[in-house]
Amino acid sequence: MNERHSSNRPAASPGAVDDVARGRGADGHPGAGPSTPGPGTGGSELITGIGELHTVDPARGEDAVLRDAAVVVENGVIAWVGPAAEAPAADRAVDLEGRAVLPGWVDSHTHLVFAGDRGEEFAARMAGQAYAAGGIGVTTRATREADDETLRGLVAHRVADAVAGGTTYLETKTGYGLDVEQELRAARIAAEAADDVTYLGAHLVPEGVDPDEYVATVCGPMLEAVAPYAQWADVFCERGAFTPEQSRTVLEACRDAGLGLRVHGNQLGPGEGVALAVELGAASVDHCNFLSDADIAALAGSDTVATVLPACDLSTRAPLAPARELLDAGATVAIASNCNPGTSYTTSMNFCVATAVLQMHLTVDEAIRAATLGGAKALRRDVSAPGRLAVGHIAVGTRADLHILDAPHAVHLAYRPGMPLTWGVWRAGHREL
């Protein structure tokens, strides 16, 4: 077996090799943050002996899965894809001996900048207590009490766990600071570790603060402080958090500041989150547990991605988001981990994909697509543009993000749930695992 690397925990910061240093990309669209591992080792690398290659390449249509395939990586970019028998020569070669290869997971919804633990809250839910938004305040207090070094270490550890499980591109949010100073600190730390940063000052109104005054802060000094470190803005449009009117105010202010839009919506019950996201052209609306026929139709007729969070649904014992119905209606679906301390304390996209197949009735190919290209679409990273390479699929010219399974077929992700199937990870052309 050629070039088998050790499985030590990989370094954090899965940045892009070609992104501009900060904020939006060179074309003015939301781009990646400043963290960049740089191109892979110099020269070209032939990755051959691929038993099953899931390119998830829209240009290939029904022929997106290749057998007995090979890929050439050069300078952090996919340089060639095709049959192993036709592969060109390269400076180095790695033989995968029949293993399956996927694009790296694109985790488009995480909350990694936090301290503390909410295990007791989880145990109470498992004993029958309903989930409510108020637990966010517990994490806010713990996060405020942690110093910068501690928070950086916690975030780096979580990113490393994600990469070790095949995630090569991830978004993370602020939202556990909830005042100007703390949200700015969270944004700075997030920008050091994640590819995309989302401003979520509108996560919860802090205890003892007037809601209208807090919304004014979120739309004013807090937004001004955080915007240089973020590409996106989000709002928790739910009962117990922010009303549709407050959510609109926040989103419109953030859009005017140049941030792309995302929405937490329709998690705790029917609501206006989906309709608001579609109306304002948000890139994604996330959770989507309680959808009406009109919500599904609106998503199917829009460019707003419906991001489902299977691990969160299991942890909160909520009705599973209707991913099957969304796909059947023609909506674009993404799968994300929603890693956070209260409702989804995992970065395992393998687990989320398996759950989507076993519980949400997606096929393996549909789940893989949702966790790769779907996530890329939710972050508007599915197409290359000046200053940024596309992620979420394997094609000539895309970023070289590869997830190698210790299995001959990708179906093993659901067929053998919970097993440690990630064998290797290439991130921007650099081998991390």
Side-chain angles (χ1 to χ4, degrees), residues 13 21-23 33-35 112-114 143 147-149 151-153 155-156 159 172-177 179-200 221-231:
S13 303
R22 181 172 301 285
S35 55
L112 301 182
V113 187
F114 69 86
T143 303
D147 61 29
D148 288 4
E149 182 180 359
L151 271 184
R152 283 191 175 94
V155 174
V159 171
T172 201
K173 308 177 194 296
T174 71
Y176 293 125
D179 64 31
V180 174
E181 180 182 357
Q182 292 291 335
E183 284 293 294
L184 174 58
R185 180 174 75 132
R188 285 173 171 161
I189 291 171
E192 294 169 3
D195 296 285
D196 278 27
V197 176
T198 298
Y199 167 46
L200 184 57
M222 189 183 290
L223 171 59
E224 183 178 355
V226 171
Y229 299 91
Q231 295 79 45

Side-chain angles (χ1 to χ4, degrees), residues 365-381:
D365 285 349
E366 288 170 336
I368 290 171
R369 181 183 180 89
T372 55
L373 188 61
K377 286 179 178 290
L379 295 170
R380 301 300 191 242
R381 292 291 309 226

Side-chain angles (χ1 to χ4, degrees), residues 90-244:
D91 298 322
R92 301 177 307 282
V94 178
D95 184 355
L96 298 185
E97 299 183 349
R99 290 179 171 85
V101 176
L102 324 170
W105 301 131
V106 178
D107 193 350
S108 61
H109 184 130
T110 76
H111 303 255
L112 301 182
V113 187
F114 69 86
D117 180 274
R118 284 158 63 187
E120 291 184 4
E121 176 188 322
F122 174 80
R125 280 203 308 277
M126 296 306 99
Q129 182 175 313
Y131 170 68
I136 294 166
V138 175
T139 300
T140 298
R141 288 190 289 275
T143 303
R144 287 176 174 179
E145 292 169 359
D147 61 29
D148 288 4
E149 182 180 359
T150 297
L151 271 184
R152 283 191 175 94
L154 290 169
V155 174
H157 184 91
R158 291 162 191 149
V159 171
D161 280 346
V163 174
T167 297
T168 53
Y169 197 95
L170 61 82
E171 174 268 9
T172 201
K173 308 177 194 296
T174 71
Y176 293 125
L178 305 186
D179 64 31
V180 174
E181 180 182 357
Q182 292 291 335
E183 284 293 294
L184 174 58
R185 180 174 75 132
R188 285 173 171 161
I189 291 171
E192 294 169 3
D195 296 285
D196 278 27
V197 176
T198 298
Y199 167 46
L200 184 57
H203 202 184
L204 190 73
V205 177
E207 186 177 355
V209 177
D210 178 79
D212 291 335
E213 291 181 3
Y214 185 69
V215 168
T217 299
V218 168
C219 297
M222 189 183 290
L223 171 59
E224 183 178 355
V226 171
Y229 299 91
Q231 295 79 45
W232 303 97
D234 200 344
V235 62
F236 193 13
C237 182
E238 293 282 356
R239 67 174 186 266
F242 293 87
T243 68

Side-chain angles (χ1 to χ4, degrees), residues 18-350:
D18 64 328
D19 287 331
V20 294
R22 181 172 301 285
R24 284 152 290 285
D27 60 350
H29 291 285
S35 55
T36 58
T41 305
S44 58
E45 184 170 39
L46 171 64
I47 302 170
T48 190
I50 301 172
E52 182 179 272
L53 176 63
H54 287 253
T55 68
V56 200
D57 182 1
R60 291 183 177 271
E62 297 297 321
D63 299 319
V65 180
L66 307 181
R67 316 289 176 182
D68 300 320
V71 172
V72 175
V73 174
E74 188 167 9
N75 297 323
V77 180
I78 301 294
W80 185 89
V81 181
E86 301 174 12
D91 298 322
R92 301 177 307 282
V94 178
D95 184 355
L96 298 185
E97 299 183 349
R99 290 179 171 85
V101 176
L102 324 170
W105 301 131
V106 178
D107 193 350
S108 61
H109 184 130
T110 76
H111 303 255
L112 301 182
V113 187
F114 69 86
D117 180 274
R118 284 158 63 187
E120 291 184 4
E121 176 188 322
F122 174 80
R125 280 203 308 277
M126 296 306 99
Q129 182 175 313
Y131 170 68
I136 294 166
V138 175
T139 300
T140 298
R141 288 190 289 275
T143 303
R144 287 176 174 179
E145 292 169 359
D147 61 29
D148 288 4
E149 182 180 359
T150 297
L151 271 184
R152 283 191 175 94
L154 290 169
V155 174
H157 184 91
R158 291 162 191 149
V159 171
D161 280 346
V163 174
T167 297
T168 53
Y169 197 95
L170 61 82
E171 174 268 9
T172 201
K173 308 177 194 296
T174 71
Y176 293 125
L178 305 186
D179 64 31
V180 174
E181 180 182 357
Q182 292 291 335
E183 284 293 294
L184 174 58
R185 180 174 75 132
R188 285 173 171 161
I189 291 171
E192 294 169 3
D195 296 285
D196 278 27
V197 176
T198 298
Y199 167 46
L200 184 57
H203 202 184
L204 190 73
V205 177
E207 186 177 355
V209 177
D210 178 79
D212 291 335
E213 291 181 3
Y214 185 69
V215 168
T217 299
V218 168
C219 297
M222 189 183 290
L223 171 59
E224 183 178 355
V226 171
Y229 299 91
Q231 295 79 45
W232 303 97
D234 200 344
V235 62
F236 193 13
C237 182
E238 293 282 356
R239 67 174 186 266
F242 293 87
T243 68
E245 293 76 18
Q246 292 168 333
S247 299
R248 177 186 294 277
T249 297
V250 169
L251 293 170
E252 289 179 345
C254 292
R255 181 182 61 188
D256 292 345
L259 299 182
L261 303 183
R262 329 186 68 73
V263 176
H264 280 60
N266 298 65
Q267 177 189 6
L268 305 180
E272 298 181 37
V274 166
L276 184 61
V278 171
E279 178 192 343
L280 296 182
S284 73
V285 56
D286 301 14
H287 287 289
C288 298
N289 298 84
F290 294 89
L291 300 185
S292 66
D293 290 344
D295 291 329
I296 293 174
L299 287 165
S302 76
D303 291 328
T304 299
V305 175
T307 301
V308 299
L309 309 170
C312 178
D313 296 351
L314 293 183
S315 177
T316 57
R317 290 185 170 165
L320 293 167
R324 176 76 270 152
E325 291 85 347
L326 285 161
L327 284 176
D328 289 345
T332 300
V333 171
I335 292 171
S337 73
N338 189 29
C339 180
N340 76 85
T343 63
S344 187
Y345 204 167
T346 181
T347 57
S348 177
M349 289 289 282
N350 289 358

